[in-house]
Amino acid sequence: MADPNGTLTERQRQIAAAARALLDEQGPEALTMRNVAEVLGIKAPSLYKHVPDKTALEHLVVADGFAEIADALEAAVPQGLTGIAAAYRDYAIGHPHVYRLMNYRPLRRDLLPAGLEERTARPLAAAVGGDPARARALWAFAHGMVSLEIDGRFPDDADLAAAWRAGLESFGEVMPNHYRPGTSPQ
C-alpha cells in the first residue's frame, strides 16, 4: 500500500491493503468495513479507531491508486504523449475497480495526501506543453475512452486504436498506424 507522505500508521496500511485486495478480487460490493475487519481478523468496530468511516477507507484505496498511476505516468514521460496515454489506459484497464473508485464519484481532495493529485496530473500537463486547459482536455479524452472500454460500451467491432489515434492526434501528436491501445506506441 502506497503511503506517499509517510503519514499512515502500520495498522492503517494493513487496513488499506486489505481494502484494496477485497476491491481488486471481489469488486466494490465487497468493500465494507465488516469485510475488511474480517480479512484482518478483527471486529468491525475496531477499524473505527484507525479509519473514521467508509469514505475514509475508500480514500485510502484512492490515494494508493493515485500513487500507482502517478508512478506509471511518470515512467512513461520519455515516450511522450502516446506513452503516457498507453500507461493511463493500461492502469485503468488493469485496475478497473480502483479506477472507478478514483474517478466515478466526487473526489474528496481533503482526504488525499497533499500534492498527490498534482503529481498525478504533472505528466499529462507536460505532454501538452504545460497548458492546464489542454491537460484537462487530455485527461477527459483518456478518461472517456477507458471508461467506455471498462464499462463495455464500445461495439465489438469498434476500432479503438483508430479512436485513440484520432483523439491523441488532436493534441498534436501523430501516432504510428500500428499503435494498439494497451501497447507501447513506439
Side-chain angles (χ1 to χ4, degrees):
M1 189 78 200
D3 185 4
N5 292 340
T7 58
L8 297 180
T9 66
E10 180 59 30
R11 184 51 118 180
Q12 286 171 322
R13 280 192 287 280
Q14 292 168 355
I15 292 167
R20 174 66 183 267
L22 279 168
L23 181 65
D24 285 343
E25 294 166 12
Q26 299 177 34
E29 301 80 25
L31 189 55
T32 67
M33 297 295 267
R34 181 179 308 255
N35 287 345
V36 171
E38 186 177 311
V39 167
L40 294 171
I42 61 176
K43 298 210 180 290
S46 298
L47 286 179
Y48 292 98
K49 297 175 192 171
H50 307 283
V51 181
D53 55 30
K54 186 175 178 190
T55 299
L57 175 71
E58 290 173 343
H59 273 73
L60 287 175
V61 176
V62 167
D64 187 51
F66 272 108
E68 288 175 351
I69 199 167
D71 288 345
L73 296 176
E74 289 165 351
V77 165
Q79 298 171 18
L81 177 59
T82 53
I84 290 168
Y88 187 92
R89 181 194 176 273
D90 289 348
Y91 183 83
I93 301 301
H95 307 282
H97 299 308
V98 174
Y99 185 81
R100 285 184 182 114
L101 192 61
M102 293 166 61
N103 291 290
Y104 284 32
R105 58 177 68 181
L107 180 62
R108 291 280 311 270
R109 289 173 173 87
D110 60 310
L111 296 178
L112 292 178
L116 182 58
E117 185 181 18
E118 294 80 7
R119 177 183 163 220
T120 305
R122 222 173 280 126
L124 297 171
V128 293
D131 182 334
R134 292 188 71 211
R136 286 185 186 101
L138 174 59
W139 174 72
F141 165 72
H143 171 68
M145 287 293 293
V146 298
S147 293
L148 291 169
E149 187 173 358
I150 288 170
D151 294 340
R153 297 297 305 272
F154 285 113
D156 290 340
D157 62 347
D159 186 347
L160 297 184
W164 276 97
R165 273 194 306 278
L168 293 178
E169 285 171 1
S170 72
F171 290 96
E173 179 128 349
V174 178
M175 295 175 53
N177 284 332
H178 65 276
Y179 171 67
R180 295 285 177 255
T183 64
S184 180
Q186 312 273 331

